[in-house]
Amino acid sequence: MPLHAILVLLVLLVLPVRSAHCQAHSTPTTVDSWARASALIDSAVAAHGGIDAVRAVRKLQVRIEGQDYHRNQSRRVAAPYDSTPRIVHYFSDLARERMVVEQTTGFPGGFRYTNRFVSDSARHYAVNVRAQTYSNQQYPPASQQYGNLFQVPQGYLMVAAESAPALRRYIGRTRLSSGAVVDAVVVFFPNTTVTLGFDPTSHRLRSVMGVGMDAFLGDAALDTEFLDYRMIDGVLLPARAQLWRAGEMTREMRYISAAAGQAIPDSLLAPPVGSAVLPPAPAPDPLRVLGPGVWAIRGGGSWQVLVEFADHLMVLDASPNAASTVIRRAAELAPGKPIRYVVPTHHHDDHFGGVRHYTAVGATTVTTAGNVDYFKRIMAAPQSTLLPGQSPPQPSNRLEVLTGKRRVFTDGRRTVEIHEIASPHATEMLVAWLPAEGVLFQGDLIEAPNAIAQRGANAETTTHLAEFIRRQGWQVKEYGGVHGFLTSPQEFEKLVQLPMLPIR
Ligand SMILES: [Zn+2]
């Protein structure tokens, strides 16, 4: 046999063995994953100008402006979504443990908020700029306020570079909601884990990725993307940041201006002159008795109302986070009576998403005509793995659609009136009126987390409700709401007299 034939034979014999051998060796070990994560973080830091440039986030001021697009929180149930402005002003001085972040946000129907979170060493405040009030708080030290530091991409990079290096892991190439592909690294640091996505070409921080619960998809991607980096006032910042939820863009922000190395103005480090201190809010009781057989039940941060009829129960509003508490409480408060009806106030997912739980225990959902498809989609949605005790997909046959503007439920002794009002907050909106008890129950029509009328809390939506109540001639004794109860009917009168403040 010629020598070259022997070599060919040897190669043929060896090749398959070598291939299997290579495959075993190409599967990364934990050390490989750690080393790749470290290399990606190092090259990102370099691509952002080196560690000193990244650490500029420690003494930096940045203004970011954009819009929130209200998926499942708009006036209409389907896209296109309503948007409201979001403005963020970031001030840090970590050497002195100082951090001030002011955010302006809103919801459809004229609701606007401007809140400032202040840390000055051991002193911390939450300032409601519109109400001209503040409360004393206990926040972590400024250098550990990751949510605030992460307003700026350098915040992620600094934390990644300084976090426990042994715990970093490369988890592979990952596709974002926008279609872009990144190299994904998980970084662990005290109390928090983030998944960072690095651009394979520029090596810069492209994204931050998470998984959240979604009414339609069960588990859904939550991606933040940083796009079009450029020098803004001497600081490398993305021109834009986008937040994507379940494949749809729900926020787009623009980085407007920056100032590195400047001290935070003293005026921002103390409560604003003339503002009033709010006492700490007492923890709300888990149950309020609104009358015999009428209970407000608190679950997952929301109030829901349970009404007892002769042979069944009705639940007003359908918060997904409250449903299991309400179902458990209903069995204690009115043993043996089934929940026959659930009436979500409106389609927003924090008021409607619980319909699956109630359907699973036999309830009929009462809603408006525009929400029928939405109801069916929620019923058929995959189950999220993120919330224990969720109901599986339900057959969507127990639905009652309001045909007029009003539906009265009564057994002769107990009466609940459901009224449809076309609210500036949601075009199809239901309120519940219990005439015997004088209880009005609504969701999102009154801004009442502090239970008292305060400057900046009046809105187009609230005055619209006031006008509706006036036309009905109702003498309301109790203003109940999913997000809070007013302390007295007089508070409502005060609230609607307050001026509606423009956004600043
Ligand atoms: Zn709402």
Side-chain angles (χ1 to χ4, degrees):
M1 193 179 280
L3 185 61
H4 72 266
I6 294 170
L7 282 174
V8 166
L9 186 65
L10 272 174
V11 166
L12 284 173
L13 285 171
V14 166
L15 258 180
V17 177
R18 279 187 58 87
S19 171
H21 194 70
C22 283
Q23 199 176 359
H25 274 261
S26 68
T27 303
T29 64
T30 302
V31 171
D32 295 334
S33 159
W34 161 80
R36 180 96 175 98
S38 292
L40 284 162
I41 291 169
D42 289 348
S43 43
V45 168
H48 282 260
I51 193 66
D52 289 341
V54 165
R55 287 188 179 136
V57 72
R58 294 176 57 83
K59 194 170 186 180
L60 185 65
Q61 300 178 12
V62 179
R63 187 172 174 86
I64 316 163
E65 296 181 1
Q67 299 282 323
D68 282 317
Y69 299 96
H70 294 282
R71 182 174 183 272
N72 298 339
Q73 293 283 334
S74 287
R75 285 171 297 172
R76 294 184 186 283
V77 69
Y81 303 131
D82 293 321
S83 64
T84 54
R86 176 177 288 260
I87 303 166
V88 179
H89 214 151
Y90 168 95
F91 304 80
S92 63
D93 186 351
L94 300 190
R96 304 173 79 175
E97 289 291 0
R98 287 177 167 176
M99 173 78 81
V100 176
V101 172
E102 184 176 290
Q103 294 218 42
T104 294
T105 55
F107 281 108
F111 295 108
R112 298 284 180 273
Y113 315 92
T114 300
N115 294 301
R116 186 186 300 154
F117 302 95
V118 179
S119 289
D120 180 8
S121 189
R123 296 182 302 155
H124 309 276
Y125 311 101
V127 179
N128 183 331
V129 176
R130 288 166 70 84
Q132 297 177 339
T133 58
Y134 72 95
S135 56
N136 293 295
Q137 300 285 336
Q138 286 196 313
Y139 297 140
S143 52
Q144 292 171 32
Q145 292 177 15
Y146 300 117
N148 287 333
L149 281 168
F150 294 167
Q151 297 289 345
V152 185
Q154 285 88 337
Y156 287 106
L157 289 166
M158 184 179 75
V159 169
E162 295 176 351
S163 68
L167 299 180
R168 301 161 176 167
R169 293 292 182 274
Y170 175 62
I171 56 168
R173 284 270 159 107
T174 301
R175 186 167 47 81
L176 305 177
S177 305
S178 66
V181 170
V182 293
D183 283 314
V185 169
V186 179
V187 179
F188 298 85
F189 49 97
N191 303 322
T192 311
T193 301
V194 290
T195 305
L196 305 177
F198 297 105
D199 186 292
T201 309
S202 73
H203 306 298
R204 287 177 178 157
L205 181 66
R206 171 68 184 250
S207 60
V208 181
M209 299 90 86
V211 177
M213 230 169 43
D214 183 71
F216 297 147
L217 299 184
D219 300 329
L222 298 175
D223 295 341
T224 300
E225 272 200 71
F226 299 111
L227 301 163
D228 307 333
Y229 279 96
R230 60 182 178 179
M231 295 306 284
I232 298 175
D233 302 327
V235 180
L236 183 68
L237 288 166
R240 293 176 295 137
Q242 296 176 339
L243 184 67
W244 292 71
R245 184 182 181 91
E248 294 186 285
M249 194 177 66
T250 55
R251 185 180 301 167
E252 184 163 47
M253 303 297 289
R254 289 168 292 121
Y255 284 73
I256 302 293
S257 60
Q262 294 194 12
I264 302 175
D266 286 344
S267 61
L268 293 177
L269 290 164
V273 174
S275 62
V277 65
L278 287 177
D285 293 329
L287 189 75
R288 291 172 69 120
V289 180
L290 304 179
V294 185
W295 302 275
I297 297 168
R298 194 168 167 81
S302 295
W303 288 105
Q304 315 276 276
V305 168
L306 179 71
V307 186
E308 184 177 18
F309 289 84
D311 63 353
H312 68 273
L313 302 170
M314 168 184 275
V315 176
L316 302 173
D317 204 53
S319 160
N321 297 331
S324 57
T325 304
V326 172
I327 291 167
R328 180 172 51 77
R329 283 281 194 170
E332 295 164 5
L333 294 165
K337 289 190 182 178
I339 298 173
R340 186 174 296 167
Y341 297 107
V342 59
V343 190
T345 52
H346 58 301
H347 71 269
H348 294 170
D349 43 14
D350 57 327
H351 298 271
F352 202 103
V355 291
R356 260 165 82 138
H357 298 267
Y358 296 106
T359 302
V361 297
T364 293
T365 299
V366 179
T367 190
T368 50
N371 294 342
V372 173
D373 286 344
Y374 184 78
F375 171 81
K376 289 179 178 168
R377 285 179 70 193
I378 286 178
M379 284 296 156
Q383 203 167 350
S384 171
T385 58
L386 299 176
L387 185 67
Q390 262 218 319
S391 305
Q394 297 292 315
S396 55
N397 53 354
R398 283 191 293 272
L399 183 65
E400 182 182 319
V401 178
L402 249 69
T403 48
K405 292 287 175 202
R406 194 171 97 115
R407 163 85 156 90
V408 179
F409 293 85
T410 184
D411 59 7
R413 297 182 55 166
R414 165 84 65 210
T415 298
V416 177
E417 298 180 12
I418 303 296
H419 292 257
E420 183 183 351
I421 70 171
S423 170
H425 181 70
T427 51
E428 296 186 10
M429 171 66 74
L430 300 178
V431 297
W433 171 237
L434 281 69
E437 293 80 7
V439 172
L440 176 80
F441 189 68
Q442 50 75 35
D444 289 356
L445 305 184
I446 302 172
E447 193 198 322
N450 293 311
I452 52 168
Q454 55 177 344
R455 190 177 173 275
N458 191 13
E460 186 190 354
T461 293
T462 307
T463 55
H464 174 270
L465 173 67
E467 179 57 23
F468 183 82
I469 292 169
R470 195 190 60 74
R471 284 203 308 273
Q472 298 295 321
W474 294 341
Q475 298 300 312
V476 179
K477 293 182 191 147
E478 180 88 73
Y479 282 89
V482 177
H483 300 301
F485 279 62
L486 293 181
T487 51
S488 71
Q490 290 74 35
E491 289 296 337
F492 188 72
E493 302 310 318
K494 276 194 243 168
L495 179 61
V496 293
Q497 297 302 321
L498 290 171
M500 277 184 256
L501 300 181
I503 193 166
R504 341 182 296 150

Short mmCIF file of all heavy atoms in Angstrom, two decimals, residues 72-74 107 346 348 350-351 425-426 429 443-444 483, ligand 1:
data_model
loop_
_atom_site.label_atom_id
_atom_site.label_comp_id
_atom_site.label_asym_id
_atom_site.label_seq_id
_atom_site.Cartn_x
_atom_site.Cartn_y
_atom_site.Cartn_z
N ASN A 72 -52.55 47.36 27.47
CA ASN A 72 -53.58 46.89 28.42
C ASN A 72 -53.89 47.92 29.50
O ASN A 72 -54.39 47.57 30.57
CB ASN A 72 -53.18 45.55 29.08
CG ASN A 72 -53.05 44.44 28.06
OD1 ASN A 72 -53.61 44.53 26.97
ND2 ASN A 72 -52.32 43.40 28.40
N GLN A 73 -53.56 49.19 29.23
CA GLN A 73 -53.85 50.27 30.17
C GLN A 73 -54.31 51.52 29.41
O GLN A 73 -54.22 52.62 29.94
CB GLN A 73 -52.60 50.62 30.99
CG GLN A 73 -52.14 49.54 31.96
CD GLN A 73 -52.97 49.47 33.22
OE1 GLN A 73 -53.57 50.45 33.64
NE2 GLN A 73 -53.05 48.29 33.83
N SER A 74 -54.76 51.35 28.16
CA SER A 74 -55.19 52.50 27.37
C SER A 74 -56.70 52.69 27.49
O SER A 74 -57.39 51.89 28.11
CB SER A 74 -54.80 52.29 25.90
OG SER A 74 -53.41 52.44 25.75
N PHE A 107 -51.09 58.32 33.59
CA PHE A 107 -52.01 57.31 33.05
C PHE A 107 -53.09 58.04 32.26
O PHE A 107 -53.37 59.21 32.53
CB PHE A 107 -52.64 56.47 34.17
CG PHE A 107 -51.75 55.39 34.69
CD1 PHE A 107 -51.17 55.49 35.94
CD2 PHE A 107 -51.46 54.28 33.90
CE1 PHE A 107 -50.33 54.48 36.42
CE2 PHE A 107 -50.63 53.28 34.38
CZ PHE A 107 -50.07 53.38 35.62
N HIS A 346 -62.98 47.64 34.61
CA HIS A 346 -62.60 47.97 33.23
C HIS A 346 -61.53 47.00 32.75
O HIS A 346 -61.07 46.14 33.51
CB HIS A 346 -62.18 49.43 33.09
CG HIS A 346 -61.03 49.88 33.96
ND1 HIS A 346 -61.05 49.81 35.34
CD2 HIS A 346 -59.83 50.43 33.63
CE1 HIS A 346 -59.92 50.30 35.81
NE2 HIS A 346 -59.15 50.67 34.81
N HIS A 348 -58.36 47.15 32.01
CA HIS A 348 -56.94 47.22 32.36
C HIS A 348 -56.52 45.96 33.12
O HIS A 348 -57.28 45.48 33.97
CB HIS A 348 -56.65 48.49 33.15
CG HIS A 348 -56.84 49.73 32.32
ND1 HIS A 348 -56.83 50.99 32.84
CD2 HIS A 348 -57.05 49.86 30.98
CE1 HIS A 348 -57.03 51.86 31.85
NE2 HIS A 348 -57.16 51.20 30.71
N ASP A 350 -54.77 45.03 35.50
CA ASP A 350 -54.81 44.90 36.96
C ASP A 350 -56.23 44.92 37.51
O ASP A 350 -56.43 44.79 38.72
CB ASP A 350 -53.95 45.99 37.64
CG ASP A 350 -54.37 47.41 37.26
OD1 ASP A 350 -54.82 47.62 36.12
OD2 ASP A 350 -54.25 48.31 38.11
N HIS A 351 -57.22 45.08 36.63
CA HIS A 351 -58.63 45.05 37.07
C HIS A 351 -59.43 43.93 36.41
O HIS A 351 -60.58 43.71 36.75
CB HIS A 351 -59.30 46.40 36.74
CG HIS A 351 -58.66 47.54 37.47
ND1 HIS A 351 -59.06 47.95 38.72
CD2 HIS A 351 -57.60 48.31 37.14
CE1 HIS A 351 -58.29 48.94 39.13
NE2 HIS A 351 -57.39 49.18 38.20
N HIS A 425 -60.74 57.73 31.38
CA HIS A 425 -59.69 56.75 31.73
C HIS A 425 -59.82 55.47 30.90
O HIS A 425 -58.82 54.86 30.53
CB HIS A 425 -59.74 56.43 33.22
CG HIS A 425 -58.68 55.45 33.66
ND1 HIS A 425 -57.35 55.79 33.71
CD2 HIS A 425 -58.76 54.15 34.03
CE1 HIS A 425 -56.66 54.75 34.11
NE2 HIS A 425 -57.48 53.73 34.30
N ALA A 426 -61.05 55.05 30.62
CA ALA A 426 -61.30 53.88 29.77
C ALA A 426 -62.68 54.09 29.15
O ALA A 426 -63.63 54.40 29.87
CB ALA A 426 -61.26 52.58 30.57
N MET A 429 -66.28 51.70 30.97
CA MET A 429 -65.95 51.70 32.40
C MET A 429 -67.21 51.41 33.19
O MET A 429 -68.26 52.00 32.92
CB MET A 429 -65.39 53.09 32.76
CG MET A 429 -65.18 53.35 34.23
SD MET A 429 -63.90 52.32 34.99
CE MET A 429 -62.41 53.08 34.34
N GLY A 443 -62.89 51.78 40.03
CA GLY A 443 -61.47 51.49 39.85
C GLY A 443 -60.82 52.56 38.99
O GLY A 443 -61.26 52.80 37.87
N ASP A 444 -59.81 53.22 39.53
CA ASP A 444 -58.97 54.18 38.79
C ASP A 444 -59.66 55.50 38.45
O ASP A 444 -59.13 56.26 37.63
CB ASP A 444 -58.44 53.58 37.48
CG ASP A 444 -57.39 52.51 37.71
OD1 ASP A 444 -57.01 52.29 38.88
OD2 ASP A 444 -56.97 51.88 36.73
N HIS A 483 -57.92 51.07 44.44
CA HIS A 483 -56.61 51.50 44.94
C HIS A 483 -56.70 52.34 46.21
O HIS A 483 -55.71 52.89 46.65
CB HIS A 483 -55.85 52.25 43.84
CG HIS A 483 -55.63 51.41 42.62
ND1 HIS A 483 -54.94 50.21 42.66
CD2 HIS A 483 -56.03 51.57 41.34
CE1 HIS A 483 -54.92 49.68 41.44
NE2 HIS A 483 -55.57 50.48 40.62
ZN ZN B 1 -57.25 51.65 34.74
#
